[in-house]
Amino acid sequence: LPNKKRAEKIDGYLHFCDDCRDKSETEKYSQKLDFGLNPIKNTPFSVFIGRSVPNVNTENGTLYAKAVIKDTGTPLYAKNRSSGEHITDGGVNKKIKKLMCDKKVPLQDRDILPIICADGQAIYVPLCAVSDSVKSKAQADTLHIAIYKTKPED
């Protein structure tokens, strides 16, 4: 389109934008997570890690997704998806790309959404799946993960 405008179809609607990010422009990131709120650089997302359930809405954004996992004692980190990545959920090994399509994760979020990993493996894909290796049935020794999203400034 003229003047560097772009149009794309998202969830059945046509959207126009002046400076849409091209998929090839998405920067890869990998960020170690500490207890508390961890803003993810160059994205509208923050990841909360803690022992208790976080608030739904805070000054840090609106709750996007949450999960409870078993505390394995290994460091957690957030990264965006890479091609060919998998997660095991319900005994089935699933490609993260297909899982995001099936669960209708918003297209504009798929390449920047923080995927929680430990020991080089995806353990939580927001809005999609928690890995069988960290699913917790007991209330003790659990971690609460919350993904917050801030609205872009107008």
Side-chain angles (χ1 to χ4, degrees), residues 30-45:
S30 180
Q31 183 175 325
K32 186 177 183 304
L33 299 173
D34 298 315
F35 273 83
L37 194 67
N38 299 270
I40 305 299
K41 294 177 183 150
N42 300 321
T43 74
F45 294 102

Side-chain angles (χ1 to χ4, degrees), residues 26-151:
T26 303
E27 289 183 36
K28 293 291 180 194
Y29 66 84
S30 180
Q31 183 175 325
K32 186 177 183 304
L33 299 173
D34 298 315
F35 273 83
L37 194 67
N38 299 270
I40 305 299
K41 294 177 183 150
N42 300 321
T43 74
F45 294 102
S46 295
V47 178
F48 172 84
I49 306 286
R51 298 272 180 212
S52 61
V53 179
N55 293 328
V56 173
N57 295 310
T58 70
E59 63 277 358
N60 300 306
T62 303
L63 186 64
Y64 187 84
K66 65 180 178 177
V68 178
I69 64 168
K70 184 173 21 175
D71 186 1
T72 60
T74 58
L76 300 177
Y77 63 96
K79 61 183 268 333
N80 51 347
R81 71 177 181 175
S82 300
S83 73
E85 281 187 303
H86 291 82
I87 188 168
T88 302
D89 179 32
V92 179
N93 200 15
K94 301 175 184 179
K95 277 193 169 184
I96 291 175
K97 180 178 180 177
K98 182 165 180 7
L99 197 58
M100 286 182 163
C101 289
D102 292 346
K103 297 291 186 172
K104 299 186 182 337
V105 174
L107 188 61
Q108 67 271 19
D109 292 344
R110 292 179 190 174
D111 287 331
I112 59 172
L113 186 65
I115 296 171
I116 310 304
C117 301
D119 293 329
Q121 298 293 318
I123 60 169
Y124 174 51
V125 180
L127 303 177
C128 296
V130 175
S131 174
D132 291 343
S133 65
V134 295
K135 285 186 178 171
S136 179
K137 292 177 177 52
Q139 292 294 340
D141 296 329
T142 59
L143 291 177
H144 292 265
I145 299 174
I147 311 294
Y148 290 96
K149 185 175 183 183
T150 55
K151 293 189 178 182

